[in-house]
Amino acid sequence: MDTIASLFSFITTPVSWVIVQFHKVYGAVFGPDTGWAWGLSIVSLVILIRICLIPLFVKQIKATRAMQTLQPEMKKIQERYKNDKQRQSEEMMKLYKETGTNPLSSCLPILAQSPFFFALYHVLNGIASGKTIGVINDSLLESARKAHIFGAPLAAKFKDGSSTIEALGASVTDVRVVTVIMIVLMSASQFFTQRQLMTKNVDTSVKTPFMQQQKMLMYVFPIMFAIFGINFPVGVLVYWLTTNVWTMGQQMYVIHNNPTPGSKAQAAYLERLYKRVTHHGGTRGRGERAIVKAIVAKGRDRNEAERKFINGLSKAGFAAQADGTIVKSEARAVEGTEDGGTATAAAAKRQQPKRQSKSQRQSGVKAAGESALSLSKTDEPQDDEPPAAAAPQAAPKQPTAKQPAAKTGSGRSKAQSGQRKGGPQRPKSPSKK
């Protein structure tokens, strides 16, 4: 470990200078020899480094999502060229080049943070060994060796013997209790960070080997921290615990405000966005507009949560635009104001009739038949009923030789019942006398 840290010795001077500047500020408040002054100096160094790494973290998010979207294509290439590893590698590189994706981009924050981690380890190891390093002179070295965090010196380790720990003015029990608590918190924060990434911010519609790798890392990383943590000084544990807590909070912020498409976090985010848009009448901020713009650009390729969001806006009288803004839908407003200006009339117009049961349909048919029968009886002239005087009848035609005169009364109805249905009637031949 000392050999690896010595490779980053070129950055130990800047790191030690930053720690000393923070120590001057906190030393004026808590005292120069206290653990609070030196511990908060390390915490402030972590925050400063992570703020500088935010642009790389944004690139890491974009690279990770790009790799997630490429997983189906990568799986096809692996299956197609499973017997030709060279061709498989060439097709993978071609895919990365066409999509502008770099697999190493997801590792950039870790790689950029590594020099600062090893430089800080080198500085704290020098303090533990009683050696001046960087801008830390003899007086600062003595002050740092006296600093204790909850009874454990900054330079003490879990595996240090009693003689070494007593030389730093502490007991073995205090050092080991503090280091174990820090290691547990460090591993738990790492596990929770990886778990919320897997359970909330992963596209559940695509099952790829990438998800299996992430699930494996969720258990591997905490074990690695626990193994290496017993060899870290307390000051390095403070640094690494602060880094993990920062990463966990940063991850929670990203999942809450910019989730991965197709994940559970996106469904929850779009539900919150829908309520906010319908209440305020539009999007707020560049981030919301960027998400809505991406959803509109997908068209028919939207996932279930995105389709639900767009359909909900349409039903509420809003429309998502191509630039990410959300405006009132004019078509919906016209539909609601026409024909008297009530939306209930349009809804009633579109309402389908209720389906009747079999007994209701039979009773309805029976009632219709009875009404039709009664109507036909009332319209049919009776034998003993005189014709109406108000309705003059046309003069009857004289019967020809071939066509006898029609009978009146009941004979007429009988003649009508004997006629053929539909079409012209065939004349009867005259009877021979």
Side-chain angles (χ1 to χ4, degrees):
M1 190 72 175
D2 292 337
T3 304
I4 298 175
S6 63
L7 297 175
F8 297 93
S9 59
F10 66 94
I11 204 173
T12 54
T13 300
V15 169
S16 62
W17 182 84
V18 172
I19 292 177
V20 169
Q21 301 308 311
F22 281 122
H23 176 260
K24 290 181 180 179
V25 176
Y26 294 118
V29 179
F30 300 102
D33 298 334
T34 60
W36 288 105
W38 286 101
L40 291 175
S41 299
I42 297 173
V43 172
S44 301
L45 174 65
V46 174
I47 295 174
L48 179 63
I49 293 173
R50 296 308 300 264
I51 290 175
C52 295
L53 293 178
I54 286 178
L56 293 179
F57 181 75
V58 173
K59 289 184 178 181
Q60 180 190 22
I61 294 175
K62 293 181 178 180
T64 303
R65 292 186 179 177
M67 290 296 295
Q68 289 176 349
T69 57
L70 289 179
Q71 288 301 316
E73 298 296 329
M74 294 171 61
K75 190 174 182 180
K76 291 180 182 178
I77 293 175
Q78 291 173 355
E79 292 178 353
R80 186 180 303 172
Y81 305 104
K82 58 182 178 181
N83 297 326
D84 190 353
K85 298 298 182 182
Q86 183 177 358
R87 181 67 183 277
Q88 186 181 119
S89 301
E90 292 176 356
E91 293 295 328
M92 288 288 189
M93 296 303 296
K94 183 179 179 181
L95 180 64
Y96 294 150
K97 187 176 181 180
E98 290 176 353
T99 56
T101 306
N102 186 2
L104 297 178
S105 297
S106 58
C107 303
L108 284 177
I110 297 176
L111 295 176
Q113 189 180 347
S114 298
F116 298 96
F117 167 74
F118 288 114
L120 179 62
Y121 177 84
H122 199 40
V123 170
L124 294 175
N125 193 47
I127 293 173
S129 303
K131 300 177 182 177
T132 58
I133 186 170
V135 298
I136 298 179
N137 51 27
D138 293 333
S139 60
L140 291 173
L141 177 64
E142 187 65 24
S143 175
R145 288 175 65 85
K146 293 179 180 179
H148 291 67
I149 297 179
F150 301 110
L154 290 177
K157 304 175 185 177
F158 179 86
K159 296 177 67 175
D160 285 344
S162 58
S163 58
T164 304
I165 294 175
E166 289 174 0
L168 296 173
S171 64
V172 176
T173 303
D174 293 340
V175 171
R176 292 186 176 176
V177 169
V178 171
T179 52
V180 166
I181 293 174
M182 285 189 175
I183 290 171
V184 170
L185 293 176
M186 186 174 62
S187 302
S189 59
Q190 178 65 35
F191 176 80
F192 183 78
T193 301
Q194 197 70 19
R195 186 178 183 275
Q196 71 175 351
L197 178 65
M198 290 298 303
T199 57
K200 296 182 179 180
N201 206 36
V202 172
D203 187 358
T204 56
S205 62
V206 180
K207 304 295 182 181
T208 61
F210 178 76
M211 297 177 61
Q212 299 297 328
Q213 294 174 4
Q214 293 294 321
K215 189 177 294 186
M216 182 181 64
L217 293 176
M218 181 172 65
Y219 298 99
V220 171
F221 276 157
I223 296 174
M224 292 176 59
F225 277 112
I227 293 173
F228 293 121
I230 60 176
N231 296 313
F232 290 160
V234 174
V236 175
L237 293 178
V238 172
Y239 172 87
W240 207 250
L241 177 60
T242 308
T243 299
N244 286 356
V245 172
W246 176 280
T247 303
M248 182 175 63
Q250 191 171 248
Q251 186 91 339
M252 292 176 64
Y253 176 81
V254 171
I255 291 175
H256 188 271
N257 295 281
N258 193 13
T260 300
S263 62
K264 294 180 181 179
Q266 189 200 29
Y269 174 82
L270 292 179
E271 186 176 353
R272 294 193 306 268
L273 182 60
Y274 170 77
K275 293 180 181 178
R276 190 160 56 246
V277 166
T278 53
H279 183 266
H280 295 283
T283 54
R284 297 183 302 174
R286 188 183 304 174
E288 291 184 356
R289 289 194 296 270
I291 291 176
V292 175
K293 181 179 179 181
I295 293 175
V296 173
K298 286 184 177 181
R300 295 183 178 181
D301 296 332
R302 301 186 187 109
N303 56 49
E304 183 179 355
E306 293 167 347
R307 287 194 298 269
K308 183 179 178 182
F309 173 72
I310 295 296
N311 294 336
L313 290 178
S314 179
K315 291 179 181 179
F318 294 91
Q321 305 299 309
D323 59 352
T325 58
I326 295 178
V327 297
K328 282 280 187 180
S329 178
E330 296 181 359
R332 184 76 179 183
V334 171
E335 182 184 354
T337 55
E338 65 182 0
D339 296 334
T342 58
T344 56
K349 187 177 180 181
R350 295 191 300 268
Q351 187 176 3
Q352 298 294 331
K354 293 183 178 180
R355 187 174 181 180
Q356 296 180 345
S357 63
K358 185 177 180 180
S359 60
Q360 290 175 343
R361 290 196 301 270
Q362 290 177 353
S363 61
V365 171
K366 184 177 180 181
E370 291 176 354
S371 62
L373 183 59
S374 62
L375 185 61
S376 63
K377 288 183 178 180
T378 55
D379 291 342
E380 184 177 315
Q382 302 296 327
D383 294 340
D384 56 351
E385 192 174 294
Q393 300 292 333
K397 292 183 180 181
Q398 296 296 329
T400 60
K402 294 183 179 180
Q403 183 176 359
K407 296 181 180 181
T408 59
S410 61
R412 181 182 176 184
S413 61
K414 291 179 180 179
Q416 287 180 352
S417 63
Q419 291 180 358
R420 297 175 62 185
K421 295 182 179 179
Q425 301 295 325
R426 185 175 59 184
K428 295 181 179 180
S429 60
S431 60
K432 293 181 182 181
K433 291 184 180 179

